[in-house]
Amino acid sequence: MCVIWSITLLWFNFFLEINYSHLDAGIWFALLLATLVGSYFLKAFPSLQDSNISGFKRGWLLLLVWTMFLNAGLLYETGGSINPLINLLLLPLALGMLMLSLQYFIGLAVISAFFYVFLSTYYVPIMSMKVQSLQAFFAWYLHGSVLVFMLLVLFLALFILPLKQRLEKQKAILERQKKLALQNEYFMSIAGLALSSVHQLSTPLNTMALLTELMKHEVSTPEGKDYIETFSEQLAVCNRALETLRNRADYAQQTQRNPVELPIFLSELKQEFALIQQQSVLRVQVDEALKPMEDFVLQTDPSLKLALLNLLDNAARYSRDFILISWQVTDSALLISIRDHGGGVAESELSLLGKQPQENSHGLGMGVFLSRMIIERFHGKLSFNNYVDEVDNKAGLKAEIQLPKQLIFLKDQSNEDNE
């Protein structure tokens, strides 16, 4: 806007030789320049940084009204509504349409209309030594209007459109943060419910275990002892499942991130997987870029292990003989993939896996749903694809996890950060 006024005033003064008060116009222009520079650095207008939405919009309204007032002052000194730059009053309206609420925008439009009507009646007349006829005046006004229109279009393309895109991006970030907060709250509530269920079931299971021990001494028939043995085995299965549920609920509630060496993390993952899937063997494949593994550290909390265990448990239900987890690092991400030979799922269900708790052909959706929430909390992505193993020619499901590369780094780097 200041560039447009600079060119116009120079054009008026040197090319058209229009007489106007240089002092008064210079004061208005200096105020406009100071306002735009101050607003750019957001020092003169702290309300533009207000985190409160109402304060933010009120600050923008005051800035736009003040800018419109300064433009009106310059127009008053340079011919009022006969100046082609009268259309510059539309610029604050264009910004207001983008930044303000409907109520504030209507108010700004009323103020703009007031300035236009005012400048049509009250202004300082100007006279040019080169525009001496009515025809020449109309030609000057027409050419000036075309120039201003082109400059307005250029301004909208260069400034308003990028500003709109930036606002949409900020809105998307806020929506994502809100979604993550709701997911985290839901996740914590599930963890709390799981712990509560564990405590409620522990007492009757302990009582049943005690009664089983007593019954072993009371029953003497072989058939009765077989029943008690079967009952003891099933009770042990329930206790293991309950212990697994307790551990996973504890993992879910631990959100403090601590560095852990990659080999230790993988070893613990294999051990805990063996506890919940005793008939399956987990294969681990690590990319050459992550070797030797002892040199790498994961900056994470136990919930990541919970997310991986949920996916591994889901894979083991349909592929006991083959579960493979692969680790790979690229220039921008840490990639973890889990493969099985369970036959895969219908293509129509791939995009729905993990989006919400649901029953599907590849297991219960709750574990996958929780895994997706945990991974998104780490600013990662979880996706699923059907694939065919090139070696065994068996179909299966592939879960792909993409995490920020900042979660894994060299041990020496971790020591330097701590120092």
Side-chain angles (χ1 to χ4, degrees):
M1 189 177 295
C2 288
V3 172
I4 295 175
W5 270 111
S6 299
I7 296 174
T8 302
L9 293 177
L10 291 174
W11 182 41
F12 280 9
N13 189 56
F14 295 103
F15 182 75
L16 297 178
E17 298 181 7
I18 293 178
N19 294 321
Y20 62 90
S21 175
H22 295 81
L23 177 61
D24 294 340
I27 293 175
W28 287 108
F29 179 78
L31 289 173
L32 179 63
L33 181 63
T35 300
L36 295 180
V37 171
S39 63
Y40 177 78
F41 291 104
L42 297 179
K43 294 179 180 179
F45 302 92
S47 59
L48 298 181
Q49 297 176 318
D50 199 334
S51 58
N52 181 271
I53 298 296
S54 178
F56 173 82
K57 292 183 177 180
R58 194 159 44 242
W60 270 103
L61 175 64
L62 293 176
L63 174 61
L64 294 176
V65 170
W66 174 248
T67 304
M68 193 177 292
F69 172 73
L70 296 179
N71 271 289
L74 277 167
L75 290 167
Y76 175 80
E77 297 293 340
T78 55
S81 60
I82 66 171
N83 189 333
L85 290 188
I86 190 71
N87 294 319
L88 284 180
L89 293 176
L90 293 175
L91 279 182
L93 277 180
L95 283 171
M97 187 181 300
L98 205 64
M99 307 296 300
L100 304 179
S101 63
L102 179 61
Q103 181 181 1
Y104 285 164
F105 175 75
I106 292 176
L108 187 65
V110 171
I111 295 173
S112 176
F114 168 77
F115 281 137
Y116 196 99
V117 173
F118 178 85
L119 292 171
S120 299
T121 308
Y122 302 99
Y123 55 89
V124 176
I126 57 175
M127 181 179 296
S128 171
M129 300 300 296
K130 291 190 175 182
V131 183
Q132 299 179 353
S133 65
L134 187 61
Q135 183 178 3
F137 169 78
F138 279 118
W140 164 74
Y141 186 84
L142 178 61
H143 294 157
S145 298
V146 171
L147 177 62
V148 170
F149 176 79
M150 294 175 63
L151 291 174
L152 286 175
V153 171
L154 182 64
F155 179 84
L156 293 175
L158 294 180
F159 296 99
I160 301 297
L161 187 59
L163 179 60
K164 180 182 178 182
Q165 293 174 344
R166 189 159 59 247
L167 289 175
E168 290 177 348
K169 184 177 180 180
Q170 292 176 352
K171 183 179 179 181
I173 293 174
L174 290 175
E175 289 294 330
R176 174 178 171 80
Q177 292 176 345
K178 181 180 178 181
K179 177 184 176 182
L180 290 177
L182 291 175
Q183 286 185 348
N184 189 57
E185 182 179 353
Y186 180 73
F187 184 62
M188 290 301 177
S189 65
I190 292 178
L193 180 61
L195 281 177
S196 176
S197 300
V198 168
H199 292 309
Q200 291 178 7
L201 292 174
S202 295
T203 300
L205 286 176
N206 291 333
T207 303
M208 293 169 67
L210 179 61
L211 291 175
T212 302
E213 291 297 324
L214 294 175
M215 290 174 63
K216 286 181 179 180
H217 301 289
E218 299 294 333
V219 177
S220 57
T221 63
E223 185 178 0
K225 290 183 177 181
D226 290 340
Y227 286 150
I228 292 177
E229 186 65 25
T230 302
F231 183 77
S232 298
E233 292 175 356
Q234 297 302 313
L235 194 60
V237 171
C238 292
N239 283 322
R240 284 198 300 270
L242 205 62
E243 185 64 24
T244 300
L245 182 61
R246 180 187 289 111
N247 292 336
R248 293 189 180 186
D250 289 337
Y251 285 161
Q253 293 187 333
Q254 297 177 22
T255 58
Q256 183 177 0
R257 298 187 182 184
N258 296 308
V260 56
E261 294 183 7
L262 182 58
I264 296 177
F265 182 88
L266 293 177
S267 176
E268 293 178 351
L269 184 67
K270 291 183 67 175
Q271 291 175 6
E272 297 188 29
F273 176 76
L275 291 176
I276 60 176
Q277 291 291 342
Q278 298 180 0
Q279 298 180 1
S280 300
V281 177
L282 175 62
R283 305 180 187 182
V284 179
Q285 186 179 71
V286 180
D287 187 59
E288 290 296 327
L290 291 174
K291 293 181 180 179
M293 292 190 295
E294 292 77 10
D295 293 342
F296 288 90
V297 174
L298 277 173
Q299 184 73 23
T300 182
D301 61 55
S303 65
L304 178 61
K305 191 186 302 180
L306 172 60
L308 296 177
L309 285 172
N310 284 337
L311 295 172
L312 291 170
D313 185 31
N314 190 71
R317 294 179 187 178
Y318 295 88
S319 177
R320 294 187 180 277
D321 299 330
F322 181 85
I323 305 101
L324 173 66
I325 181 169
S326 303
W327 293 68
Q328 181 183 358
V329 65
T330 65
D331 293 336
S332 60
L334 171 64
L335 304 178
I336 306 173
S337 64
I338 297 174
R339 296 179 177 89
D340 62 49
H341 286 168
V345 300
E347 292 292 335
S348 59
E349 295 182 2
L350 282 175
S351 60
L352 301 177
L353 283 178
K355 296 295 180 63
Q356 58 184 4
Q358 60 182 349
E359 187 83 22
N360 55 61
S361 60
H362 210 78
L364 294 173
M366 177 59 76
V368 181
F369 175 65
L370 293 178
S371 294
R372 182 183 292 275
M373 284 199 301
I374 295 172
I375 292 167
E376 289 182 351
R377 194 171 65 181
F378 284 102
H379 304 288
K381 297 178 181 179
L382 173 63
S383 60
F384 295 91
N385 294 289
N386 290 321
Y387 84 107
V388 177
D389 196 316
E390 297 179 356
V391 177
D392 300 330
N393 199 30
K394 293 183 179 180
L397 184 68
K398 179 181 178 182
E400 295 181 316
I401 302 169
Q402 180 177 335
L403 295 170
K405 189 180 179 181
Q406 292 79 6
L407 292 182
I408 190 167
F409 44 82
L410 291 171
K411 188 187 300 184
D412 294 339
Q413 181 180 350
S414 176
N415 294 332
E416 291 177 1
D417 293 340
N418 291 334
E419 293 177 359

